[in-house]
Amino acid sequence: MSLPTIGVTMGDAAGVGPEITVAALLDAEITTTCRAVVIGDTARLRRGAEALGLDAEFHEITDPNDARTETGVINVINLGLIPEDLPFGELSAIAGDAAFQYIRVACELAAAGSIQAICTAPLNKSALHSAGHKYPGHTELLAELTNTEEVSMMLSTPKLRVIHVTTHIGLIDAIAKIEPGLVERTIRRGHAALQGAGIADPRIGVAAINPHAGENGLFGYDEEALKIAPAVDAARADGINAEGPLPADTLFFLAGRGDYDLVVAQYHDQGHGPIKVLGIEAGVNITVGLPVPRTSVDHGTAFDIAGKGIVDTRSMVEAMRQAIVLAPVHA
């Protein structure tokens, strides 16, 4: 079987993206299990390698089919959008626009079938907005560029996986948005994603909104019965191994010890908090529902340490591993 081709976007050039991208693509396991192609800026990647004290050969290409797979070689589709004197660690509209363009090109390559998965280094939302690209984050940007009506954010660590019903909206708006159809579709996307990763019958726990799952109407306004329970019932009727709504605090404990393969969180912080307690260095952000798998680090641009060669690169390596696992296999 041929190796999957993974498109890697460099992220915000003023952040740690260039460093973690280089480190991941020089990892021995990564270089032997995929063909990686960076969409970014060669000169900036070279500065990232210098900051980390790493040696790399940068091979510029225009077609992923021309990628080389030797250890120590980093294939780059060089868009050349970053000035040589762009400082690390400072908000930049230039870097924000470049980060958008890297994603745009990756989506075009995916649509053409030239890459089988996308792995993204972090972008900065303020920089993205200052460049005129008004998206809450990567997830919404990727959905629009791939003409995907609805996607879900999944966070994955070695001990816990979480998929979110709602993400980048305020808590009051999130509770208003939650309804049985959306919850059911989220359960189904999570189920399909885990089956695609080799788990034949995923055990899915669905979190409640209110403390103690509402305590039979004592807390909240019966959201569990009205918004969540019908979705769980519909999924179970189709043979999906889902349970809920369950009290979130108990559910995350049970999932952490291995009772569930996936937790369905109802809103952003309900899911992100437990994941980040476990350590973002091992966390991976997966966008579920796109035409191609997309993975990313579960941390930001880290402007305070960018360009200093001290960034923890493990999350990007793990994001690449997950992209390789999720990428469709081609004969």
Side-chain angles (χ1 to χ4, degrees):
M1 308 299 286
S2 64
L3 298 176
T5 302
I6 311 298
V8 186
T9 58
M10 194 181 76
D12 192 298
V16 295
E19 295 166 84
I20 62 174
T21 298
V22 167
L25 269 56
L26 294 178
D27 182 273
E29 178 185 343
I30 302 304
T31 59
T32 58
T33 52
C34 76
R35 300 172 59 184
V37 177
V38 183
I39 302 98
D41 185 283
T42 303
R44 202 64 173 184
L45 291 165
R46 187 172 286 113
R47 288 188 63 182
E50 291 169 353
L52 292 169
L54 298 174
D55 292 323
E57 177 186 347
F58 294 93
H59 175 52
E60 293 190 358
I61 58 176
T62 57
D63 186 338
N65 289 324
D66 296 328
R68 292 162 53 188
T69 56
E70 301 100 308
T71 300
V73 174
I74 296 178
N75 303 290
V76 186
I77 295 177
N78 179 28
L79 300 193
L81 300 174
I82 304 301
E84 183 66 30
D85 61 352
L86 183 84
F88 280 104
E90 295 182 14
L91 189 69
S92 165
I94 293 174
D97 180 64
F100 171 85
Q101 302 303 335
Y102 304 152
I103 296 294
R104 177 187 60 77
V105 172
C107 290
E108 291 173 355
L109 292 171
S114 299
I115 58 177
Q116 283 76 60
I118 298 172
C119 180
T120 62
L123 52 72
N124 183 282
K125 295 180 182 68
S126 294
L128 190 70
H129 291 180
S130 68
H133 306 296
K134 306 294 186 181
Y135 299 91
H138 258 128
T139 303
E140 296 82 3
L141 171 55
L142 284 157
E144 180 168 308
L145 289 176
T146 58
N147 296 312
T148 304
E149 184 174 343
E150 189 174 270
V151 297
S152 295
M153 176 189 292
M154 180 186 292
L155 302 180
S156 176
T157 73
K159 288 189 65 175
L160 182 66
R161 299 182 191 90
V162 179
I163 191 169
H164 294 71
V165 175
T166 65
T167 49
H168 295 122
I169 55 177
L171 183 55
I172 292 174
D173 294 332
I175 294 171
K177 183 176 180 178
I178 296 166
E179 51 87 18
L182 178 57
V183 176
E184 181 186 346
R185 293 192 298 274
T186 305
I187 294 170
R188 292 182 182 278
R189 277 191 287 270
H191 178 263
L194 265 60
Q195 285 192 319
I199 302 174
D201 185 26
R203 300 161 300 170
I204 302 173
V206 182
I209 294 173
N210 295 300
H212 301 244
E215 199 77 81
N216 296 315
L218 181 63
F219 306 127
Y221 299 92
D222 217 18
E223 288 91 349
E224 281 68 32
L226 298 174
K227 293 173 174 284
I228 302 173
V232 176
D233 291 343
R236 289 179 62 85
D238 270 357
I240 295 175
N241 188 2
E243 296 181 26
L246 301 170
D249 52 355
T250 304
L251 172 56
F252 279 105
F253 165 74
L254 295 174
R257 76 178 188 184
D259 291 10
Y260 295 96
D261 299 302
L262 178 67
V263 171
V264 178
Q266 300 299 327
Y267 52 91
H268 185 281
D269 285 10
Q270 187 183 59
H272 277 62
I275 287 285
K276 295 196 174 182
V277 166
L278 293 174
I280 61 175
E281 71 278 353
V284 176
N285 184 330
I286 303 170
T287 304
V288 179
L290 294 171
V292 296
R294 174 260 175 169
T295 67
S296 183
V297 294
D298 188 28
H299 63 73
T301 48
F303 280 170
D304 57 324
I305 60 170
K308 298 179 181 179
I310 58 175
V311 62
D312 189 326
T313 62
R314 287 176 291 175
S315 184
M316 189 66 173
V317 173
E318 184 61 30
M320 284 296 297
R321 289 195 187 106
Q322 292 289 332
I324 294 163
V325 167
L326 295 169
V329 177
H330 286 245

